[in-house]
């Protein structure tokens, strides 16, 4: 089954404790992206990647890191989480290099930073 | 800077009714316009993608239209069913060279009453 998976689905952590949210897709997509969703603000792009070893900032990259060492995986790293990073996070992928095609979303990771 | 607006924020209709969801965008230089459905606890599911050169797309009971000159898109749902209850999001993909990105609206929460 074609899908985007994220782990964990739910996470409660404390300020400053490094964490990683994994994202994996099995569709051989070049383009992958991370979004956060907050009430009243909609989904906002954090980082995106057009291919292996090619990543760039989206609209709200502060406090986040990403890497793309393999085509299928695109982990999101919070080196020192803060309460303002409490949010619902989505990973997405699509064909092509520029994210112009239909984007497929993972189920989301709900993060609470205390 | 692209801004995407969806009105109303919430809508409740009786089963069987035809309905229209609205999406407005400020920058007409879009590559495409996408409609998504979001169910609680799940990720976004792509419903329809309209290229900038197209005026509409249809899938089953769903029909999406695009009018770039007026900065509007509509999602028409025919013969609504309780299973259509979800949040509907529209997103505009803007030209930006290597930085194409989806700009999302904040969504319309639809409740179809049996």
């Amino acid at each position: 089954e074609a899908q985007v998976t994220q782990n964990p689905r739910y996470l409660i952590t404390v300020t400053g404790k490094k964490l990683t949210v994994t994202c994996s897709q099995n569709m051989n997509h070049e383009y992958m992206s991370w979004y956060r969703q907050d009430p009243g603000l909609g989904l906002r792009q954090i980082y995106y990647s057009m291919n292996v070893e090619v990543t760039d900032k989206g609209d709200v990259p502060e406090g986040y890191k990403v890497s793309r060492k393999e085509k299928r995986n695109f982990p999101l790293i919070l080196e020192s989480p803060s309460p303002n990073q409490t949010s619902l996070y989505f990973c997405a992928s699509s064909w092509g290099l520029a994210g112009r095609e239909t984007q497929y979303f993972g189920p989301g990771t709900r993060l609470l930073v205390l | 800077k692209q801004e995407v607006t969806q009105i109303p924020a919430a809508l409740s209709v009786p089963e069987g009714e035809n309905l229209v969801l609205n999406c407005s965008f400020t920058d007409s230089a879009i590559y495409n316009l996408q409609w998504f459905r979001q169910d609680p606890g799940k990720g976004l599911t792509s419903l329809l993608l309209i290229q900038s050169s197209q005026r509409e797309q249809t899938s089953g009971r769903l029909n999406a239209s695009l009018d770039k000159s007026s900065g509007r898109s509509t999602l028409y749902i025919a013969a609504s069913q309780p299973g259509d209850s979800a949040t509907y999001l529209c997103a505009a993909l803007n030209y930006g060279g290597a930085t194409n990105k989806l700009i999302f609206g904040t969504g319309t929460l639809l409740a179809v009453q049996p």
Side-chain angles (χ1 to χ4, degrees):
Chain A
E1 178 189 355
Q3 60 182 352
V4 179
T5 57
Q6 294 179 228
N7 283 293
R9 294 289 313 280
Y10 304 92
L11 180 60
I12 301 174
T13 190
V14 296
T15 299
K17 185 176 182 181
K18 180 179 178 180
L19 66 92
T20 299
V21 183
T22 64
C23 172
S24 183
Q25 49 91 7
N26 63 1
M27 295 169 279
N28 203 35
H29 285 168
E30 288 85 2
Y31 185 92
M32 297 186 74
S33 182
W34 276 102
Y35 296 87
R36 61 177 289 174
Q37 185 177 34
D38 302 288
L41 297 177
L43 279 90
R44 294 175 292 167
Q45 190 181 59
I46 303 170
Y47 268 95
Y48 67 94
S49 169
M50 292 193 287
N51 215 328
V52 175
E53 302 293 1
V54 181
T55 64
D56 207 346
K57 298 177 181 178
D59 292 322
V60 288
E62 295 76 21
Y64 304 95
K65 285 177 57 177
V66 293
S67 68
R68 187 92 181 271
K69 293 182 169 52
E70 304 168 284
K71 196 172 187 179
R72 63 183 291 128
N73 297 322
F74 189 44
L76 179 69
I77 303 158
L78 284 72
E79 294 267 359
S80 183
S82 63
N84 64 13
Q85 293 178 298
T86 293
S87 187
L88 179 58
Y89 291 87
F90 289 103
C91 179
S93 70
S94 70
W95 293 108
L97 301 177
R100 295 177 183 174
E101 308 305 322
T102 297
Q103 297 210 10
Y104 295 82
F105 281 76
T109 295
R110 190 169 292 279
L111 172 65
L112 173 61
V113 183
L114 301 173
Chain B
K1 179 184 175 185
Q2 180 71 276
E3 293 183 6
V4 178
T5 304
Q6 293 183 251
I7 295 174
L11 181 64
S12 180
V13 300
E15 181 177 3
E17 194 161 295
N18 302 325
L19 61 100
V20 174
L21 305 180
N22 297 300
C23 173
S24 300
F25 48 94
T26 56
D27 184 353
S28 62
I30 62 172
Y31 191 85
N32 62 45
L33 192 291
Q34 301 180 35
W35 282 93
F36 295 88
R37 168 184 174 142
Q38 183 175 18
D39 293 284
K42 296 186 178 180
L44 281 69
T45 301
S46 178
L47 298 173
L48 290 164
L49 183 155
I50 313 174
Q51 301 290 356
S52 64
S53 58
Q54 298 174 320
R55 287 210 172 258
E56 64 179 74
Q57 279 284 347
T58 298
S59 176
R61 294 183 294 109
L62 305 179
N63 175 277
S65 68
L66 175 64
D67 184 345
K68 285 175 53 180
S69 62
S70 66
R72 294 186 60 189
S73 177
T74 61
L75 179 67
Y76 174 83
I77 303 177
S80 59
Q81 303 170 358
D84 294 330
S85 298
T87 297
Y88 290 81
L89 299 163
C90 69
L93 185 71
N94 271 76
Y95 286 106
T99 61
N100 295 306
K101 67 176 75 171
L102 278 174
I103 306 298
F104 282 85
T106 51
T108 295
L109 176 60
L110 173 65
V112 180
Q113 308 299 332

